[in-house]
Structure formats: structure tokens, C-alpha cells
Amino acid sequence: MVKQNCYKYQLAAGLCLIAILGIIYYYFFSAFSAKDTTQYVYIDADDNIDSVYHKLYPIAKSSSFAAFRTIVRHSKYKDHVRTGRYAIKPGMGAFKLFRHLKNGQQEPVSLTVPSVRTVDDLANELSKHLMLSSAEIASALKDEATCQKYGYDTATIECMFIPNTYDIYWNCSLNKLLSRMQKESKAFWTPDRTSKAAALKLSPNEVITLASIVDEETANNAEKPMIAGMYYNRLMVRNAKYPDGMPLQADPTIKFAWKQFALKRIYHNLLRIQSPYNTYVNPGLPPGPIRIPSVAGIDAVLNMVHHDYLYMCAKEDFSGTHNFARTYDEHLKNAARYSAALNSRGIK
């Protein structure tokens, strides 16, 4: 009888322990999120424990949210909230989430450097994926001392941004962002690319500047090496008429100088602008890129087609490709056909 009662007590105690463990598991270790997909919480420098709760509440199951608050009450987390982008995956419990938040175990973002025209555009696009503000990024890229720190100036700093996708932490500092871009730029310029640039007697920055013009001329990657070759021929011209080299006369640089990128036609009055980016007046390359060029554009310069064309004009069929010419007279005929096509469509 005594043994029977002892067994009953042990069974009851065992059942109670199982129940307690079940409750603990349910509250602290079962899925915190009520969602079926991974959710992300962004905690910035202005957040405190109350705003963290506010961000977690719409995601959490009520039981797990209560458990999370219980853990926080028995920790020092509320006094040491850490910034970052944190993933709440299906099945992740309140305790594991708390550890990630407490230890700063965040998930990186996939940051794509965009092929955009201006520093302001670049700053705006980067800030959409980082804790940094667009004003903070733009201010740094327009500051001569900051640019010089990374080996550039305010005209060439965009050369440091290679348009690829990188895993980076959302809350990275401005210094870490720029250091990472510098590191990726150095990795991009492999011995093969560097030797090709040297063979052309161009620096990496000059290659990128030329590539930015090529990219503005066409979105047709197949034609970019031809266009690169044409502009390179102009750079190399040295004769009585052009002792300092033939002007590139690149229409996209005029658009950049005026900051009027929607222009369809470049009229003579637009060519009078006093700007180092006016390649109708100034021989050689402009002081820096007129956009962040694509990798295809950069490689098109490094692998340009070597030919003897000096002129090009958009085709009158509006295919996005060009007619190339060796002489100015031939070029004028091509230009006349294109101008007539614009007029027929009422494009001004």
C-alpha cells in the first residue's frame, strides 16, 4: 500500500514536472512569431525598450511576447539596447530572439550599389538599405577631406563604388561603409583588369569615367565595346588641329553639366556652358564619371573594339544603336537622317 502511494506521488510529481516543462517550452521556446515567413525588426539608435516592444508586438504571439517581456525584466537588456537588423525566423523562440537582440546577432542586408548619375542619387539609394541617412552619406561624399582619406576627390569618389551586391550590416557606420566600398573596389581591380587599363594608358579612374559616358550612350551591352573604341580614338588623336587631343564631344556630358538628364536633343546654345564636364570645349576626359557605370560598361572599355571610327550618331530607326563614321562628312549624313527622324516624331 505504501509502495502504491509512493508510486502515485512520483507519477503526480512527474506529471507536474512535465506540465511545468511544457509551459516553459510553450512560452519561452516555441515559435515567437505568429507569421509563417521570416520577419525583420530594425532597431536604431533612437530606440529604447518600449519602442522595441512596439516593433515586436505586431509580429509576436501573445504568449511568446509575454515571455519575452519576462526575460527582459530579469536582465539588463533595457539599459543596453543594441541597434541592428534582426531576423525573426519561423520556429525561433522568445529566449533565442532575446539572445540575438542582447548579443547583437543581426542579419546582414544585401546592399546593391546602384548605377546612378549623382552623389545625391547614390546617397538616397544607399540610405534606403542602411541606418545611415542620405544627408549623412551625401555630406561625406562631397567632403574633400573624406574623399582624400580613401584616395579620391569629390569628382572621382563615385569611382570607388562598384555596382555589385554586397552583404553588409544595416547599422554599419559611415566609416565602415566607405572602407568596405574601398576594399571591394580594390578586389574588383584584378591584375587582369589593371593590366588591360595599363595597356590602354588609362588609370582605373579614367576607365570608369570613360565607361560612364559609354553607359550613358547606350544600354546595348553588345555595342558598348564599339562606342568605347570610338571615344578612345578621339582621346588618342594628336595633330595640328587637335594638339591636346580631339574633344570627345559626348552629349551625355552636356546633360550632366546642365543636370538635365531628360534632354532628347542637344542644341548649340547648350554647348556654351562653362563646365569642366563640357567635352565639346575641353579636350580629354571630364574630371570624373558622369554616373556610376555598370560592370558591363567598365569591361567594355577594357575590352574595347579597336577600329578607326571617330564619329557616331544614333540610328534613325531608334533601335538604341549607332551609325559609325570615319569622316566628318559621313557623320553629317548620318546626323541628318537622325535629325529628320526626330523631326518626324515631333521630338524637340
Side-chain angles (χ1 to χ4, degrees):
M1 187 68 176
V2 174
K3 285 184 179 181
Q4 234 178 359
N5 287 337
C6 183
Y7 174 75
K8 288 180 180 179
Y9 291 139
Q10 288 176 341
L11 179 61
L15 291 174
C16 286
L17 179 61
I18 291 171
I20 291 169
L21 291 175
I23 292 170
I24 291 172
Y25 176 83
Y26 176 73
Y27 276 87
F28 294 94
F29 296 97
S30 66
F32 177 88
S33 176
K35 313 291 184 180
D36 295 328
T37 57
T38 298
Q39 304 294 304
Y40 295 94
V41 172
Y42 296 81
I43 299 176
D44 59 43
D46 294 328
D47 279 317
N48 56 31
I49 191 59
D50 291 324
S51 59
V52 171
Y53 287 151
H54 181 75
K55 291 178 177 181
L56 292 176
Y57 183 77
I59 300 170
K61 294 190 297 188
S62 57
S63 56
S64 298
F65 185 72
F68 181 85
R69 296 189 62 148
T70 298
I71 299 169
V72 169
R73 280 197 300 271
H74 293 85
S75 73
K76 296 181 180 179
Y77 174 69
K78 64 180 182 294
D79 299 319
H80 303 283
V81 173
R82 302 182 68 167
T83 61
R85 173 183 184 260
Y86 298 94
I88 305 177
K89 298 178 181 179
M92 175 185 283
F95 185 73
K96 186 173 183 179
L97 172 61
F98 169 77
R99 281 193 307 153
H100 282 198
L101 295 177
K102 176 177 177 293
N103 297 328
Q105 291 178 250
Q106 55 178 309
E107 289 282 316
V109 296
S110 291
L111 178 69
T112 299
V113 172
S115 179
V116 291
R117 292 188 176 99
T118 68
V119 163
D120 288 329
D121 290 338
L122 175 62
N124 183 55
E125 290 301 316
L126 294 180
S127 69
K128 292 177 182 178
H129 307 282
L130 299 169
M131 195 170 77
L132 297 165
S133 70
S134 59
E136 188 177 0
I137 298 171
S139 178
L141 299 182
K142 294 176 182 179
D143 178 67
E144 201 67 55
T146 300
C147 294
Q148 287 177 3
K149 178 181 176 182
Y150 296 95
Y152 299 86
D153 57 34
T154 52
T156 59
I157 187 62
E158 286 179 289
C159 294
M160 190 172 75
F161 291 81
I162 305 299
N164 282 322
T165 299
Y166 311 98
D167 283 342
I168 193 168
Y169 287 120
W170 175 75
N171 65 342
C172 72
S173 66
L174 182 60
N175 181 61
K176 285 186 177 179
L177 170 66
L178 297 181
S179 295
R180 175 67 182 280
M181 293 300 99
Q182 182 188 49
K183 177 183 176 182
E184 296 294 346
S185 176
K186 289 178 178 178
F188 175 81
W189 283 99
T190 60
D192 179 57
R193 285 192 172 104
T194 302
S195 65
K196 287 179 179 179
L200 295 169
K201 298 182 180 180
L202 297 175
S203 69
N205 286 357
E206 289 173 328
V207 169
I208 288 175
T209 299
L210 181 52
S212 72
I213 296 172
V214 171
D215 267 0
E216 280 290 322
E217 289 286 10
T218 184
N220 187 321
N221 287 338
E223 194 184 39
K224 287 178 182 179
M226 279 289 292
I227 295 174
M230 190 277 297
Y231 278 123
Y232 184 74
N233 288 346
R234 291 187 179 184
L235 284 176
M236 295 298 108
V237 166
R238 294 291 186 279
N239 56 30
K241 185 177 181 180
Y242 300 117
D244 297 321
M246 180 180 178
L248 292 184
Q249 297 182 337
D251 288 356
T253 66
I254 302 301
K255 296 178 184 180
F256 184 85
W258 284 100
K259 295 296 187 287
Q260 294 183 28
F261 302 108
L263 290 172
K264 299 296 184 184
R265 304 180 78 161
I266 304 298
Y267 293 100
H268 287 293
N269 64 307
L270 296 174
L271 304 181
R272 301 190 189 113
I273 186 170
Q274 296 298 309
S275 168
Y277 291 89
N278 185 346
T279 58
Y280 275 80
V281 174
N282 306 299
L285 290 165
I290 59 172
R291 71 174 302 124
I292 294 178
S294 64
V295 171
I298 297 170
D299 284 340
V301 172
L302 295 174
N303 300 284
M304 66 178 64
V305 175
H306 293 281
H307 50 66
D308 58 355
Y309 293 118
L310 282 173
Y311 304 93
M312 71 175 193
C313 180
K315 285 185 177 178
E316 61 276 11
D317 62 2
F318 298 99
S319 62
T321 55
H322 296 77
N323 288 313
F324 293 86
R326 294 176 177 84
T327 68
Y328 187 59
D329 286 342
E330 186 183 353
H331 170 65
L332 287 178
K333 293 175 183 177
N334 292 335
R337 288 200 301 272
Y338 181 63
S339 181
L342 289 174
N343 291 335
S344 69
R345 295 195 179 194
I347 298 175
K348 297 182 178 181

